[in-house]
Amino acid sequence: MTLEEEFEELRPLLFSISYRILGSVTEAEDAVQETWLRYATTSTQPRSTKNFLSATVTRISIDVLRSARVRREEYVGPWFPEPLLTDPYQDPERAAELADSVSMAALLLLERLSPLERAVFVLREVFRFEFEEVASAVGRSEAACRQLASRARRHMQDGRPRFESDRSKREKLAERFFDALRGGDVDGLRELLAADAQLVNDGGGEIGGKGRVYGVETVARVLGAAMPSFAQIGAVLEAHEVNGQPGAILRDRDGRVISTWTLDILDGRIQTIRSVINPDKLGHLGPVADARAVIREKNRARRRLT
């Protein structure tokens, strides 16, 4: 097997590690590419290609995260990770666990950790690396990594997101939700939302109106009014898993991406709806719509409807 073939075999794992550390598809792809460049130019053959590449992409991701955190602290409005449609790393025996670990809720919880804690948690708790391998990857002793992992677990357990365990129930409820949304059925939406439901938009502080809307009545009313107006201008809401959870992609009449949606579902109700409309976070999904122009057109259509 050539160096390139070895690397390509491990690329899905490397991307999945980096994405969970960074919460950014584009930055994770860059980290994986940098990992390949270092691997292709290394003068010695590592004993374990997997360990070498995993350690390399982890170190690169930690460095990127340290600088990214400064930008995120200055971000206007709610900040969400870049939406991920498909996690390339697959393990059938742990599919549900891996999907939950890449959910928006889990990634937002990871934001509370330091870069080192986050990397250790991802390697140890998500991908089940041995502490010896984790220590080598982050450049700390095994004892230090055990402490970092313990601290990270405590932080994560304090706010660990809970989801409906039956994925088929999630999907059926999501289907009903998006049907009601497309039809502007406020009563139907109200039946599916939790009493304390919230709608949260990441528009970079400039797009998408209010960043947060709380409460079943307000959320149902806002959503019920929005989609018929979008439909009037040819926008289409496509159901699609996003970050391992039920979700959708909103496209304009030309198929360009306006936003993504993800749903947190528990106890037969939708708890949180997260929308990413910031165009800077959608480019990896394909051509991106001019969200401001779309919203202006949608608002004109809404006024005509009323």
Side-chain angles (χ1 to χ4, degrees), residues 6 31 38 86 104 114 127 139 160 202 205-206 214 225 237 248 297 299 302 304:
E6 283 185 306
R38 294 188 188 184
T86 305
M104 287 280 183
S114 71
F127 292 101
R160 184 178 293 278
D202 176 348
E206 299 181 15
Y214 296 96
L237 191 67
E297 188 179 359
N299 289 339
R302 182 177 178 180
R304 289 196 297 271

Side-chain angles (χ1 to χ4, degrees), residues 75-97:
Y75 197 82
V76 178
W79 178 93
F80 291 154
E82 289 183 5
L84 180 69
L85 299 188
T86 305
D87 187 355
Y89 179 74
Q90 302 295 323
D91 181 345
E93 293 184 0
R94 300 180 59 231
E97 183 182 353

Side-chain angles (χ1 to χ4, degrees), residues 32-294:
V32 172
Q33 184 59 27
E34 177 62 24
T35 299
W36 160 248
L37 294 175
R38 294 188 188 184
Y39 182 51
T41 56
T42 186
S43 58
T44 58
Q45 180 62 34
R47 285 184 299 173
S48 167
T49 302
K50 176 186 174 183
N51 288 350
F52 176 83
L53 293 176
S54 299
T56 302
V57 81
T58 296
R59 291 177 194 139
I60 293 169
S61 299
I62 289 172
D63 289 341
V64 173
L65 181 59
R66 283 173 173 149
S67 61
R69 287 174 79 91
V70 176
R71 297 192 302 274
R72 291 174 192 179
E73 288 171 0
E74 299 171 350
Y75 197 82
V76 178
W79 178 93
F80 291 154
E82 289 183 5
L84 180 69
L85 299 188
T86 305
D87 187 355
Y89 179 74
Q90 302 295 323
D91 181 345
E93 293 184 0
R94 300 180 59 231
E97 183 182 353
L98 288 170
D100 287 351
S101 75
V102 82
S103 69
M104 287 280 183
L107 292 174
L108 288 171
L109 197 55
L110 282 169
E111 284 291 305
R112 303 179 186 179
L113 307 182
S114 71
L116 271 180
E117 287 172 341
R118 186 164 180 165
V120 168
F121 183 88
V122 167
L123 291 176
R124 176 63 184 171
E125 302 299 321
V126 178
F127 292 101
R128 305 291 175 81
F129 280 70
E130 298 296 331
F131 274 113
E132 180 182 0
E133 298 164 333
V134 175
S136 175
V138 302
R140 296 291 189 274
S141 67
E142 287 188 46
C145 287
R146 289 180 188 278
Q147 290 181 335
L148 287 165
S150 177
R151 195 156 59 233
R153 278 195 301 271
R154 285 198 302 272
H155 285 303
M156 294 295 288
Q157 286 168 356
D158 286 344
R160 184 178 293 278
R162 296 170 57 229
F163 303 109
E164 173 64 55
S165 58
D166 188 324
R167 296 187 69 82
S168 66
K169 288 183 180 179
R170 288 192 222 178
E171 292 165 4
K172 289 176 182 176
L173 192 146
E175 183 178 356
R176 290 171 58 199
F177 171 80
F178 287 122
D179 283 345
L181 186 59
R182 293 185 188 97
D185 181 359
V186 175
D187 289 337
L189 291 169
R190 190 184 294 114
E191 289 179 3
L192 299 172
L193 294 168
D196 57 349
Q198 55 179 315
L199 168 65
V200 192
N201 297 312
D202 176 348
E206 299 181 15
I207 304 171
K210 293 181 179 179
R212 298 177 187 271
V213 178
Y214 296 96
V216 59
E217 293 296 334
T218 306
V219 172
R221 207 164 49 245
V222 168
L223 291 175
M227 285 312 301
S229 303
F230 275 118
Q232 282 286 311
I233 64 172
V236 177
L237 191 67
E238 299 177 354
H240 199 296
E241 186 175 270
V242 180
N243 284 82
Q245 305 300 316
I249 303 171
L250 182 63
R251 299 183 185 273
D252 70 6
R253 63 169 65 91
D254 298 314
R256 294 172 298 193
V257 178
I258 301 170
S259 64
T260 62
W261 299 57
T262 56
L263 309 179
D264 288 357
I265 297 172
L266 180 66
D267 297 330
R269 292 288 185 273
I270 294 167
Q271 310 287 325
T272 305
I273 304 149
R274 294 186 177 87
S275 172
V276 176
I277 198 169
N278 183 346
D280 294 339
K281 296 186 176 183
L282 301 173
H284 61 285
L285 303 179
V288 178
D290 181 341
R292 291 183 180 86
V294 169

